[in-house]
Amino acid sequence: MTTVEHRPAARPTSANTTRALLSAGVAAGPVYLVTALAQALTRPGFDPARTDVSLLAVGPNGWIQIANFVVTGLLVIACAVGLKSKLVATFGAGLIAAGVFVADPAGTAISWHGALHVGTAGIGFLAFTAACLARKSGYSRGTGIAFLAGFAGVATGSASPVVVAGFWVAVALAFAWLAVTAVQTKRTIND
């Protein structure tokens, strides 16, 4: 009679967990950008060349952009855990708060939730900029400066196509930086 040896199921290693967390950072950009662009291009009356993406959270289908902010923020925070970066986690928290505190409709007086939308997102954006500038590479620093410039332009309230397009580009660069940083970090993990 043969006996079968029973072994406990393999538990995920810390390295595997960290890799999974970093993968969330790779997914964050595509999730955010595809969802935002799909809305911007299909929402009646929304002009992606002149209207801030935060305004997608206003109106009957606003829940889609609210969910986009929250899901993307959670993905960024997961990546931040893998990166061990409080600054990147603050960026993720700012995205979540931007979803919770909806922007005011264009042309209206600023409300308490509109002020919190701008303020919390701004804190997250500044933390992201600091995370980029803290790294030594020119790519990281350039991304941080471009992101800060894009945010500063949009924060003025300008509806100039150059300013709005600049912010879309800055956001895409930011998520590309997060993905590249996550992939580079994954490569350094030993089992």
Side-chain angles (χ1 to χ4, degrees), residues 46-51 159-165 168:
F46 189 89
D47 182 358
R50 296 191 174 277
T51 311
S160 159
V162 171
V163 170
V164 175
W168 280 95

Side-chain angles (χ1 to χ4, degrees), residues 80-179:
V81 172
L83 293 172
K84 298 180 176 102
S85 173
K86 291 178 183 173
L87 291 170
V88 173
T90 302
F91 173 53
L95 288 168
I96 293 169
V100 171
F101 303 110
V102 178
D104 293 309
T108 63
I110 193 159
S111 66
W112 65 269
H113 57 81
L116 285 173
H117 174 85
V118 172
T120 56
I123 290 167
F125 292 168
L126 292 173
F128 179 81
T129 299
C132 290
L133 296 176
R135 297 200 169 239
K136 303 290 185 213
S137 77
Y139 170 70
S140 288
R141 291 182 176 172
T143 300
I145 292 167
F147 189 71
L148 182 61
F151 168 59
V154 164
T156 67
S158 173
S160 159
V162 171
V163 170
V164 175
F167 188 62
W168 280 95
V169 169
V171 168
L173 284 173
F175 283 120
W177 178 89
L178 185 64

